Amino acid sequence: LRICSPGRARRTNASRRACLVARFGDIYAQERLDAETLLRTYISDVEMVQRIIYIAAVESFHAAKMAYRQFKIRVRETLSLGHSGPESLEDTVLDYIVRHEDLYDVQASVNEVIRSMNINPKISFPPEIDFIVISTLIRELCRVAFSMQTLAPPLDIAFGTDGELYSETKYHRSFDSDFTAALVAYHVWPALMENDVVIAKGEAVTKR
């Protein structure tokens, strides 16, 4: 019997996970605020600015996960033709993706996110401006989200809806929240999840 040794991707899983969780936190602290500052030069409504950024984050994860699935299918089809071990095909595929993440066409995902945002009924933008102004934030989120799919288990963001019951375990309240309100008016930043467990809290606004 041939024993399948864990691939490089699995051996480095813990360190890569720690780096990606930290990077997600950095994006919240830096790129998100930069995007907010930029948007507020065009839009005076703070709620709309925060909604735009939250939806950009959600759409970035969606686009990156779709791109990862398609990328993985192509890699598996190519490598299966000559695969002989000692690692399993799945481990070989994962190792290849981790080593060649630079082949991910992040710009295609950015374009997809902007397309989705342009037709989202919850957000609006002055007609003379384009969501491309926050493409730096979108690009960084897509990169992180794509890399998070190579982890075992993969990381994802929590699904959030306006009007949902506020969860202390998932979110911090924004400073301008009504701290006695039980429902989320809107989300500022998504929570990061691993197998339905919160890894990093998001941010939400609660109002009566």
Side-chain angles (χ1 to χ4, degrees), residues 57-76:
V58 171
E59 292 293 349
S60 294
F61 265 78
H62 178 70
K65 286 190 295 181
M66 290 288 289
Y68 178 80
R69 282 197 284 271
Q70 292 161 1
F71 190 68
K72 190 175 182 182
I73 287 167
R74 291 198 302 273
V75 171
R76 188 189 289 116

Side-chain angles (χ1 to χ4, degrees), residues 33-193:
L33 293 179
D34 291 345
E36 192 171 299
T37 302
L38 189 59
L39 287 174
R40 289 183 71 172
T41 63
Y42 304 108
I43 304 170
S44 58
D45 183 355
V46 176
E47 178 179 329
M48 181 56 69
V49 166
Q50 292 179 329
R51 280 183 180 274
I52 287 169
I53 290 171
Y54 175 76
I55 286 169
V58 171
E59 292 293 349
S60 294
F61 265 78
H62 178 70
K65 286 190 295 181
M66 290 288 289
Y68 178 80
R69 282 197 284 271
Q70 292 161 1
F71 190 68
K72 190 175 182 182
I73 287 167
R74 291 198 302 273
V75 171
R76 188 189 289 116
E77 284 174 351
T78 303
L79 295 183
S80 65
L81 300 173
H83 179 73
S84 59
E87 294 178 359
S88 68
L89 178 58
E90 278 305 300
D91 276 355
T92 304
V93 168
L94 198 55
D95 284 353
Y96 180 92
I97 296 172
V98 168
R99 283 198 309 270
H100 298 91
E101 281 187 52
D102 56 313
L103 296 177
Y104 164 43
D105 185 356
V106 68
Q107 188 57 48
S109 289
V110 172
N111 296 343
E112 184 59 40
V113 171
I114 291 170
R115 265 198 302 274
S116 297
M117 291 176 72
N118 280 329
I119 58 170
N120 191 304
K122 286 187 179 179
I123 52 176
S124 59
F125 215 38
E128 68 275 12
I129 310 298
D130 192 278
F131 287 120
I132 202 163
V133 297
I134 57 166
S135 59
T136 299
L137 171 69
I138 295 168
R139 180 173 286 104
E140 292 308 305
L141 281 165
C142 285
R143 282 201 179 109
V144 164
F146 185 91
S147 296
M148 284 177 171
Q149 305 315 300
T150 68
L151 298 174
L155 301 184
D156 201 356
I157 53 173
F159 177 73
T161 55
D162 292 354
E164 71 176 311
L165 196 63
Y166 172 74
S167 167
E168 288 280 359
T169 57
K170 270 189 188 176
Y171 302 107
H172 298 290
R173 288 184 207 257
S174 288
F175 72 93
D176 54 345
S177 290
D178 177 342
F179 280 70
T180 63
L183 302 180
V184 172
Y186 64 94
H187 299 80
V188 175
W189 193 251
L192 189 64
M193 311 288 286

